[in-house]
C-alpha cells in the first residue's frame, strides 16, 4: 500500500525497494528491513576499527533512514486521508520510538502496576536561542532550511502531546510518580556539559531513592507470604502455568474434548481423564491452557455466581511436587483452605493421605466445583508403587474433575540436540556452552541478572565475546547476549516464581537431560563451573574486588589480534601485572539476610538464593 501511494505521489521509491526485502514464505507475505551489515560497505569492520569509517557509515545510515521516514510520512498521510489506512495502523509509521515505548510501558496498565513506575520529565528553558549549536541536536529534533537550523515544530508538538496530555491522563487514573524539572541554558555556552552533568547527578540520586522506595514497598508487601511454604508452592506452579499457557496458541480437538469433560454431571460419577503422548508433543501446554481456561468455562456453563476452584501441579518441577506424599499433602492443604475445612492432623502414611484427599473431594459443590490438573505423572519418584496410580481416585464426585498427563514410554530426542546446535551457531559455541551449562547446573534455575553476572565472571566466555583491545573497567558481557539467548530458546526456557524471585528453568525434563549431556559431561568444565557459581553466591567478587582476566592466546591469534597489542601477554605472577589486568566485574554482595530498613531490624528477608545454591555448589 505504502509503495503504491508513494509512486502515486511522484516520489522516488528506489531506496525502499533496495532496503526492504519481501518475504514470500510468510503468510501473508511480509517486508523486513535488511541488516546494515549487508547494505553498508565495511559496516562490520568499521564497528571494530577506525572511528572515521564508523562516522561515514553513521552518516550514510542517517541519510537512508531520513529518506525512508520521509516516504513513509507522505504515503501514510495520503492513505489516511483516503481512508485506506486506519489511524491505529498509521500511528506505528508516524510515532517516535519514545511514544511507542511510553504507550507500551504506561498505556492500559493497572493502578497496581503503575505504582511501580516512575516518570522523569525534563524541560530545557531558552532552547531555541541555542538551536544552532551542534550539540543541541542531542536534545531536540531539528530541521535545516536554507542553512538555517530550527526546531522541528511538528516533532515538538508531538512531544508536548505526550508530556502535557498522555502523562497527566495516566497520573489522573493511578498513583504514577512523576517528577518535572527545568534546566536553564548557560547564557554564553548554551546547554553546557556542566549544566548537563549537574542535571544527571541529581537525576541519578533521585532515581536511586525511588528504586529503594519501590523495592522496600514491594518486599514489605510480600513479608507475610515469604515464610508460607504452601503459598510459595502454589505460586511456583501458577507462574509455570502462565508461562506455558502463553505458548499455547492454537485450537485443537483435544482442548475441546477436555472442556467437555470438565462440565459437571447431573447424573452418575465420572473418572479422571488421562492425556498421554511422547515427549515434546504438547501435553504440558495443553494442560496449562486447560488450567487457565477452566474457571471461565465453568462460569459460562453454571452461571456468573459460580466460583470454581482450580488446582494445578507440574510434577517434578519443585521440591514438594516430586514425591507423592508431599504432592498429596500440598493438594489437600490447598483444597482445605479453599473450602474452609480444618485438617486436625496430617497423616504420615500415603494410604491415609489418599483417604484424606477422597474426603476433601466431597466438599466440592455445583456452586464451587473443583478441578485438579496434574502434569507429567511419570516424573514422580519411584517407591510405594506410585506409578501404578493406586492413589488416584477412580470414581469422582459429580462436581470434581481430575486431568492428568503422562508418557506412554520413555524417549531422549535428536531434534532437541539440533536446536541447541543451531543456537550455538548463531550466538557462539563457548557462550552457549557455558550459559546453558550454568542454567542446567543450578539447583533451582537462575534469574536473568544472575546469568549475566555469572557469565561476566567467566573468563572463557569473556575471552570469546570481548575483543582483547576493548578491555575496560568494569568488565562485563553485554546484556543483549542474554536477551538473544532467551529469544532463541523462547518456549524451551520458561519462567517460574520461587520465593518471589523469577527463575529461568527448562520447560521439561527432556530438555534438561539433553543440556546435561551436551554441556555438563566434561569433569574439568563442571568443576570450574561449580567453583565459579560458589564464588558468585559467596559474593567473592563484589564490592569492587577485582578478578584477573586471563585467556587462551591461541584463541585470540585466530581473531587476528597481534600479540604486541595484547596487554595480558606479560607474566601474571608479577604483582603489578596482576593488579593492572584485574577488572571489577560488578557482581552483587551476597549477605545471608537483606535488611529493609535499619530502623526496623525485625523486618528482614533471608537470601534464599544463597541458601539454595551456595551449599549445593
Amino acid at each position: 500500500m505504502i509503495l503504491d501511494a508513494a509512486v502515486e505521489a511522484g516520489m522516488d521509491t528506489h531506496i525502499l525497494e533496495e532496503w526492504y526485502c519481501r518475504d514470500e514464505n510468510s503468510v501473508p507475505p511480509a517486508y523486513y528491513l535488511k541488516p546494515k551489515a549487508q547494505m553498508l560497505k565495511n559496516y562490520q569492520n568499521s564497528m571494530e576499527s577506525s572511528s572515521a569509517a564508523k562516522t561515514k557509515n553513521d552518516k550514510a545510515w542517517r541519510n537512508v533512514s531520513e529518506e525512508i521516514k520521509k516516504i513513509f510520512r507522505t504515503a501514510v498521510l495520503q492513505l489516511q486521508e483516503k481512508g485506506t489506512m486506519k489511524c491505529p495502523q498509521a500511528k506505528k509509521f508516524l510515532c517516535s520510538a519514545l511514544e511507542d515505548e511510553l504507550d507500551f510501558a504506561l498505556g492500559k496498565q493497572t493502578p497496581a502496576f503503575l505504582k511501580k513506575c516512575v516518570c522523569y520529565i525534563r524541560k530545557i528553558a531558552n532552547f531555541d536561542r541555542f538551536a544552532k549549536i551542534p550539540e543541541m541536536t542531542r536534545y531536540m529534533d531539528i530541521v535545516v532550511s536554507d542553512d538555517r537550523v530550527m526546531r522541528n515544530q511538528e516533532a515538538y508538538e508531538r512531544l508536548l502531546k505526550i508530556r502535557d496530555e498522555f502523562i497527566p491522563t495516566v497520573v489522573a487514573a493511578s498513583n504514577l510518580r512523576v517528577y518535572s524539572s527545568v534546566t536553564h541554558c548557560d547564557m554564553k555556552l548554551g546547554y553546557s556539559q556542566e549544566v548537563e552533568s549537574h542535571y544527571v547527578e541529581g537525576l541519578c540520586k533521585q532515581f536511586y531513592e525511588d528504586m529503594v522506595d519501590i523495592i522496600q514497598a514491594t518486599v514489605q508487601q510480600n513479608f507475610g507470604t515469604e515464610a508460607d511454604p504452601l503459598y510459595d508452592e502454589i505460586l511456583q506452579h501458577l507462574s509455570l502455568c502462565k508461562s506455558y499457557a502463553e505458548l499455547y496458541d492454537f485450537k485443537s480437538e483435544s482442548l475441546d474434548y477436555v472442556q467437555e469433560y470438565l462440565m459437571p454431571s447431573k447424573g452418575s460419577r465420572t473418572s479422571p481423564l488421562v492425556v498421554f503422548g511422547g515427549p515434546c508433543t504438547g501435553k504440558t501446554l495443553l494442560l496449562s491452557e486447560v488450567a487457565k481456561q477452566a474457571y471461565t468455562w465453568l462460569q459460562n456453563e453454571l452461571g456468573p455466581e459460580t466460583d470454581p476452584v482450580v488446582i494445578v501441579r507440574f510434577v517434578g518441577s519443585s521440591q514438594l511436587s516430586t514425591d507423592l506424599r508431599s504432592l498429596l499433602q500440598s493438594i489437600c492443604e490447598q483444597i482445605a483452605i479453599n473450602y474452609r475445612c480444618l485438617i486436625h492432623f496430617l497423616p504420615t502414611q500415603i494410604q491415609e493421605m489418599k483417604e484424606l484427599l477422597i474426603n476433601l473431594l466431597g466438599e466440592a459443590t455445583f456452586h464451587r466445583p473443583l478441578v485438579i490438573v496434574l502434569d507429567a505423572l511419570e516424573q514422580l519418584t519411584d517407591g510405594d508403587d506410585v506409578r501404578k496410580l493406586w492413589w488416584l481416585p477412580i470414581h469422582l464426585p459429580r462436581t470434581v474433575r481430575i486431568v492428568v498427563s503422562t508418557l506412554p514410554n520413555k524417549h531422549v530426542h535428536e531434534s532437541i540436540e539440533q536446536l541447541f546446535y543451531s543456537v550455538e551457531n548463531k550466538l557462539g559455541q563457548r557462550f552457549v556452552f557455558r550459559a546453558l551449562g550454568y542454567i542446567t547446573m543450578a539447583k533451582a534455575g537462575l534469574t536473568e541478572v544472575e546469568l549475566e553476572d555469572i557469565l561476566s565472571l567467566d573468563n572463557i566466555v569473556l575471552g570469546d565475546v570481548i575483543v582483547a583491545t576493548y578491555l575496560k573497567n568494569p568488565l562485563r558481557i553485554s546484556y543483549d547476549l542474554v536477551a538473544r539467548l532467551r529469544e532463541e530458546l523462547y518456549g524451551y526456557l520458561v519462567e517460574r516464581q520461587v520465593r518471589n524471585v523469577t527463575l529461568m528453568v527448562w520447560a521439561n525434563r527432556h530438555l534438561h537431560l539433553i543440556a546435561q549431556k551436551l554441556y555438563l559431561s566434561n569433569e574439568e568444565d563442571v568443576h570450574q563451573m561449580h567453583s565459579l557459581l560458589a564464588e558468585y553466591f559467596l559474593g567473592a567478587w563484589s564490592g569492587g574486588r577485582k578478578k584477573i582476566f586471563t585467556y587462551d592466546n591461541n584463541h585470540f591469534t585466530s581473531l587476528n589480534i597481534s600479540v604486541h597489542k595484547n596487554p595480558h601477554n606479560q607474566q601474571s605472577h608479577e604483582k603489578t601485572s596482576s593488579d593492572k589486568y584485574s577488572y571489577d566485574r560488578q557482581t552483587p554482595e551476597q549477605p545471608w539476610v537483606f535488611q529493609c530498613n535499619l530502623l526496623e531490624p525485625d523486618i528482614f528477608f533471608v537470601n534464599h538464593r544463597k541458601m539454595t545454591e551456595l551449599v549445593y555448589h
Side-chain angles (χ1 to χ4, degrees):
M1 282 164 65
I2 290 171
L3 207 53
D4 291 345
V7 170
E8 201 178 306
M11 301 187 83
D12 180 2
T13 59
H14 173 74
I15 201 160
L16 275 190
E17 292 164 56
E18 187 185 348
W19 275 82
Y20 278 87
C21 184
R22 183 176 164 93
D23 180 7
E24 295 287 353
N25 291 325
S26 178
V27 181
Y31 287 89
Y32 67 88
L33 193 65
K34 292 176 187 174
K36 292 181 199 173
Q38 181 187 329
M39 299 298 291
L40 298 173
K41 285 180 182 174
N42 301 319
Y43 178 81
Q44 207 57 46
N45 296 340
S46 73
M47 298 293 283
E48 296 157 11
S49 59
S50 70
S51 57
K54 192 175 185 318
T55 308
K56 193 176 174 185
N57 270 320
D58 285 348
K59 191 178 178 185
W61 166 245
R62 200 158 49 246
N63 291 339
V64 167
S65 65
E66 286 304 320
E67 184 63 26
I68 290 174
K69 280 194 278 187
K70 198 164 107 183
I71 297 170
F72 276 169
R73 183 179 155 61
T74 307
V76 167
L77 287 174
Q78 193 172 310
L79 289 165
Q80 222 179 336
E81 264 179 49
K82 288 181 178 175
T84 318
M85 191 182 276
K86 299 286 182 283
C87 277
Q89 201 183 352
K91 186 184 171 188
K92 70 177 181 182
F93 293 101
L94 302 175
C95 79
S96 67
L98 180 67
E99 281 177 88
D100 206 27
E101 286 165 3
L102 282 171
D103 188 48
F104 174 79
L106 303 177
K108 304 182 187 73
Q109 300 287 10
T110 62
F113 178 90
L114 291 168
K115 265 186 189 174
K116 297 182 185 181
C117 297
V118 192
C119 182
Y120 303 95
I121 293 173
R122 168 174 59 165
K123 300 174 185 176
I124 299 176
N126 310 325
F127 216 97
D128 290 333
R129 191 184 301 171
F130 303 99
K132 288 179 184 174
I133 298 173
E135 287 78 26
M136 300 306 274
T137 57
R138 288 171 56 194
Y139 307 105
M140 68 171 175
D141 295 292
I142 57 157
V143 285
V144 181
S145 175
D146 301 326
D147 293 334
R148 191 166 160 233
V149 181
M150 299 175 292
R151 188 199 289 271
N152 182 332
Q153 198 55 34
E154 189 196 342
Y156 183 56
E157 282 167 14
R158 290 184 78 93
L159 183 70
L160 292 183
K161 203 169 179 185
I162 297 174
R163 192 186 76 190
D164 302 340
E165 291 179 31
F166 176 72
I167 298 289
T169 306
V170 175
V171 171
S174 69
N175 290 329
L176 176 70
R177 300 184 195 204
V178 178
Y179 297 92
S180 279
S181 61
V182 180
T183 46
H184 297 271
C185 294
D186 183 284
M187 291 305 288
K188 289 181 182 173
L189 304 171
Y191 196 85
S192 65
Q193 187 57 50
E194 192 181 347
V195 174
E196 169 77 339
S197 301
H198 180 72
Y199 168 74
V200 169
E201 191 182 338
L203 177 66
C204 289
K205 281 181 184 168
Q206 185 64 56
F207 176 75
Y208 180 84
E209 286 170 17
D210 288 331
M211 286 300 104
V212 171
D213 278 356
I214 290 171
I215 291 165
Q216 284 192 354
T218 306
V219 292
Q220 285 183 333
Q221 185 184 322
N222 294 332
F223 188 65
T225 60
E226 177 79 5
D228 183 344
L230 179 63
Y231 175 88
D232 188 56
E233 176 70 2
I234 293 168
L235 187 65
Q236 283 192 50
H237 292 282
L238 286 178
S239 64
L240 273 177
C241 185
K242 182 174 182 288
S243 296
Y244 290 135
E246 282 171 2
L247 301 169
Y248 189 94
D249 59 357
F250 59 91
K251 285 287 286 176
S252 70
E253 286 180 17
S254 304
L255 188 66
D256 296 336
Y257 189 89
V258 182
Q259 180 179 355
E260 195 181 318
Y261 163 77
L262 291 186
M263 295 305 123
S265 159
K266 303 279 185 200
S268 60
R269 293 175 165 218
T270 188
S271 305
L273 178 73
V274 181
V275 174
F276 70 95
C280 306
T281 50
K283 300 183 300 299
T284 300
L285 304 192
L286 175 68
L287 263 63
S288 301
E289 184 68 9
V290 167
K292 178 185 161 189
Q293 300 274 20
Y295 191 94
T296 311
W297 287 342
L298 288 165
Q299 263 203 342
N300 290 345
E301 176 74 10
L302 300 171
E305 68 291 339
T306 312
D307 186 18
V309 175
V310 182
I311 293 174
V312 61
R313 294 289 187 275
F314 298 94
V315 178
S317 69
S318 69
Q319 207 65 45
L320 295 181
S321 66
T322 304
D323 74 279
L324 182 62
R325 191 190 174 281
S326 55
L327 174 70
L328 292 181
Q329 180 178 322
S330 77
I331 291 171
C332 286
E333 287 181 307
Q334 191 174 347
I335 296 171
I337 287 170
N338 273 282
Y339 289 96
R340 296 182 181 167
C341 305
L342 192 61
I343 299 177
H344 295 290
F345 75 97
L346 282 165
T348 50
Q349 301 297 319
I350 294 182
Q351 184 61 49
E352 292 170 343
M353 192 69 81
K354 176 193 173 178
E355 287 164 17
L356 175 63
L357 175 65
I358 289 169
N359 289 335
L360 286 167
L361 295 183
E363 297 293 327
T365 62
F366 278 99
H367 172 60
R368 297 210 76 198
L370 173 64
V371 175
I372 300 175
V373 177
L374 304 175
D375 180 57
L377 292 185
E378 78 281 350
Q379 304 240 24
L380 280 169
T381 49
D382 245 335
D384 298 312
D385 283 335
V386 297
R387 292 184 185 172
K388 291 185 178 172
L389 303 190
W390 58 266
W391 49 271
L392 194 66
I394 297 173
H395 302 296
L396 303 175
R398 288 183 298 172
T399 53
V400 175
R401 294 291 181 271
I402 296 179
V403 183
V404 301
S405 77
T406 187
L407 289 172
N409 45 36
K410 294 188 178 182
H411 297 278
V412 168
H413 263 183
E414 282 179 19
S415 56
I416 296 174
E417 292 188 22
Q418 292 306 319
L419 165 76
F420 289 147
Y421 295 147
S422 73
V423 177
E424 286 173 25
N425 288 334
K426 285 179 188 172
L427 302 183
Q429 193 177 20
R430 291 191 191 195
F431 167 73
V432 173
F433 189 100
R434 283 295 170 104
L436 299 188
Y438 287 126
I439 292 169
T440 309
M441 173 183 278
K443 190 167 189 213
L446 292 174
T447 70
E448 236 178 289
V449 176
E450 284 170 353
L451 181 62
E452 189 187 331
D453 285 338
I454 289 158
L455 293 170
S456 296
L457 286 173
D458 190 324
N459 286 339
I460 286 178
V461 173
L462 287 171
D464 218 40
V465 299
I466 290 181
V467 178
T469 48
Y470 287 177
L471 293 171
K472 57 181 185 284
N473 239 332
L475 186 60
R476 307 242 336 146
I477 70 150
S478 168
Y479 164 73
D480 71 297
L481 270 172
V482 175
R484 284 171 63 198
L485 181 72
R486 292 208 60 187
E487 189 179 9
E488 290 293 335
L489 291 169
Y490 177 71
Y492 301 99
L493 271 180
V494 293
E495 291 182 346
R496 71 164 172 171
Q497 296 283 331
V498 181
R499 295 184 183 272
N500 295 316
V501 176
T502 305
L503 298 174
M504 295 184 291
V505 293
W506 289 115
N508 62 46
R509 191 167 53 97
H510 307 284
L511 289 159
H512 190 281
L513 288 171
I514 300 292
Q516 205 165 23
K517 184 180 97 173
L518 293 179
Y519 305 121
L520 299 177
S521 55
N522 181 300
E523 216 172 299
E524 192 182 336
D525 271 327
V526 168
H527 180 74
Q528 268 183 21
M529 291 161 79
H530 273 305
S531 298
L532 193 140
L533 284 168
E535 286 175 4
Y536 174 72
F537 286 105
L538 271 169
W541 303 109
S542 61
R545 286 186 286 273
K546 295 179 178 181
K547 181 177 179 180
I548 194 164
F549 178 70
T550 54
Y551 58 80
D552 169 9
N553 270 333
N554 295 331
H555 172 63
F556 282 99
T557 308
S558 69
L559 287 180
N560 248 351
I561 295 161
S562 58
V563 174
H564 72 270
K565 273 189 182 175
N566 180 349
H568 303 286
N569 213 28
Q570 300 175 27
Q571 294 298 314
S572 60
H573 58 71
E574 295 172 26
K575 189 178 186 311
T576 52
S577 167
S578 65
D579 283 351
K580 193 172 177 183
Y581 305 123
S582 295
Y583 296 88
D584 180 5
R585 310 299 173 90
Q586 287 200 328
T587 55
E589 297 277 358
Q590 293 280 2
W592 286 106
V593 293
F594 299 109
Q595 199 79 43
C596 277
N597 187 335
L598 295 174
L599 301 175
E600 298 181 72
D602 292 344
I603 297 183
F604 62 86
F605 291 84
V606 172
N607 184 349
H608 290 294
R609 296 294 299 138
K610 180 169 182 164
M611 294 269 192
T612 305
E613 298 291 341
L614 177 61
V615 183
Y616 174 69
H617 295 296

